[in-house]
Structure formats: C-alpha cells, structure tokens
Amino acid sequence: MQTNLSFDTAHVLLLSAVTGIFLLAGFVKGVVGLGLPTVAVGLLGLFMPPQQAAALLIVPSLATNLWQLLAGGRFVWLLRRLWLMLAGIVAGTLLGANFMAADSVGHATIALGMALIAYALLGLAAARFSVSAGKEKYLSPVIGLTTGLITAATAVFVIPAVPYLQALNLEKDELIQALGLSFTVSTIAMAAGLAQGGALHMEGAAISLIALLPALGGMFVGQWLRAKISAVLFRRCFFVGLLLLGLHLSSHLWR
C-alpha cells in the first residue's frame, strides 16, 4: 500500500510540474513568438535528464509550431528557399541522436545550459546580422547541420537557426512562418532521433499529450497579453531568466 501511495504521489507531482512548466512555456511563446521548447526543456532539465524532457516536448512543440507554420501564406516559397537548411537540421539531429542516450555523466545538461546562455546573450545584445543571397546557399546547410547537432545534444533548436533566419531579412510574417517551419522540422527530426535511440515510451507520450492543453492555454493567454504589455521589457526579462537558468544548468563546469 505504501509503495502504491508513493508511486501515485510521484506521478501527481510530475504531472503538476509538467503542467505548470508548459503553461509558462506556452505563455512565453504567445508573447514573443518563440521559446516554448527552450523554456520547457530548460525548466524540466532541473529535475530530469534532457533526453526525458525532450520526449515530453514532442506533442506540445509539434502542435504549437504547426499552428505557427500554417498561419501564413508563404509555406511553399519558404520551403523552396530553406530546404537546404531543413535537410541539414534532419541530418544533424539524426547523426547526433545517440549523444543524449549515451550521456551518463551530465554532459547533455551542461550542453543545454551553454546553449541557453548563448541564446540569452544574443537576445540581450539585440545582435543583428545580415546574410546576402549569394552566401545563403552555402551557409544554409551548415547552419542546419549545426542546429541539428545542438538539437540532438540539448533538445533546444534555436541556435544558430533563429539568428540565421533573422539575418535573411524576411518580412515579419515570413519570419514567423519560417520559424514555425524550422521548429516543426526540428521537432519531427528530434522525435525520430529519440525513437531511434529507444527513448520514446508510451508513458512519456501520454504525458506529452497531457502537456499540450496547458501549452495551448498559455499560448492563447500570451497572445492576448502581447498587446497589453511592453514586448521589449518582457523579452529582456525572458532572456535574463534564460541566462540564469543556463548558468545554473552548466554550473557543473565550475565544480
């Protein structure tokens, strides 16, 4: 009886934490247009391995990114323009799929912390880059491959894909849709990599499905609140929070 009680309590605590984290992650995505996987995996990484966190991310990330992808009318044009980067993302993610599965000493958690630090510093610096059309065909597969390898190691697929897409001088709606396309492909590739490594299980899939509702609810509230608060101030707070989280997760480097 004691064992069953402990088992039930552990599951209730896990579901409560997952619900709260995905509610917050969806809220952030609703306000700033990105950040759901970054926030979710970063916070989940405080009490579970990144590989397990990545498995919980699949359904909410895929659903919210498909929503973002299908909201625009430039899908075919973006697919033709970005296919080299997208192919690189798939290749890099599958090539690095065994990294988290083989991680037994916390390297993936440290890598996740470093990725969050890099992303936060770029965001706080408001760095702006520009990529010419002539360089795009050479850079796209490299950016995609690098993003895929980082995705496989950390379950965070924003570095360097997001700064690169921002450097292509896309229109606002095109950029939002391009981010949705990149994140959707990254999520599918990550799911394939996790399945390849045997990290996808029915229990994880069920919790991931449960996490979809708070993620969508948070995203809806965030979109509603976007017009009522300073987006600049919110973004700064968001990146400061990611920086602190990244420093905490990578703290093993200094121990």
Side-chain angles (χ1 to χ4, degrees):
M1 179 68 70
Q2 183 64 37
T3 301
N4 290 336
L5 179 60
S6 176
F7 178 82
D8 291 343
T9 301
H11 275 69
V12 169
L13 291 174
L14 174 62
L15 289 175
S16 298
V18 168
T19 298
I21 287 170
F22 277 97
L23 185 64
L24 175 61
F27 173 76
V28 170
K29 184 176 180 67
V31 175
V32 300
L34 48 84
L36 185 145
T38 312
V39 173
V41 174
L43 291 176
L44 289 170
L46 293 173
F47 58 91
M48 66 175 63
Q51 184 183 28
Q52 186 179 352
L56 299 185
L57 178 68
I58 297 300
V59 174
S61 178
L62 186 60
T64 55
N65 288 320
L66 280 172
W67 179 359
Q68 183 172 329
L69 167 61
L70 298 176
R74 302 284 278 169
F75 172 74
V76 175
W77 179 80
L78 287 169
L79 189 61
R80 288 175 178 171
R81 181 170 180 177
L82 301 175
W83 75 270
L84 284 173
M85 187 190 83
L86 300 175
I89 288 173
V90 173
T93 304
L94 295 180
L95 283 173
N98 292 325
F99 181 85
M100 281 195 292
D103 183 43
S104 59
V105 292
H107 289 149
T109 299
I110 294 173
L112 171 59
M114 297 301 291
L116 293 181
I117 291 171
Y119 181 40
L121 290 177
L122 282 172
L124 289 171
R128 291 290 181 268
F129 307 97
S130 182
V131 175
S132 65
K135 295 179 180 179
E136 191 175 333
K137 64 180 179 180
Y138 302 109
L139 282 177
S140 282
V142 176
I143 294 294
L145 184 65
T146 305
T147 301
L149 290 171
I150 292 175
T151 297
T154 67
V156 173
F157 31 78
V158 296
I159 300 293
V162 170
Y164 176 72
L165 290 174
Q166 291 172 333
L168 296 183
N169 299 313
L170 299 168
E171 297 293 332
K172 180 181 178 181
D173 291 341
E174 292 173 348
L175 176 59
I176 293 297
Q177 192 171 21
L179 290 171
L181 177 59
S182 174
F183 295 161
T184 297
V185 170
S186 292
T187 303
I188 294 172
M190 185 173 68
L194 290 170
Q196 174 182 302
L200 287 182
H201 306 289
M202 288 302 296
E203 182 180 5
I207 296 176
S208 182
L209 186 60
I210 292 171
L212 175 60
L213 186 60
L216 291 176
M219 189 173 177
F220 177 80
V221 173
Q223 289 176 334
W224 172 80
L225 194 62
R226 183 189 300 174
K228 301 181 179 298
I229 63 173
S230 168
V232 174
L233 177 60
F234 185 90
R235 285 178 67 88
R236 286 176 184 167
C237 294
F238 167 59
F239 286 122
V240 168
L242 285 187
L243 178 61
L244 295 174
L245 181 58
L247 288 170
H248 174 74
L249 291 174
S250 59
S251 61
H252 293 290
L253 283 175
W254 298 279
R255 292 179 182 175

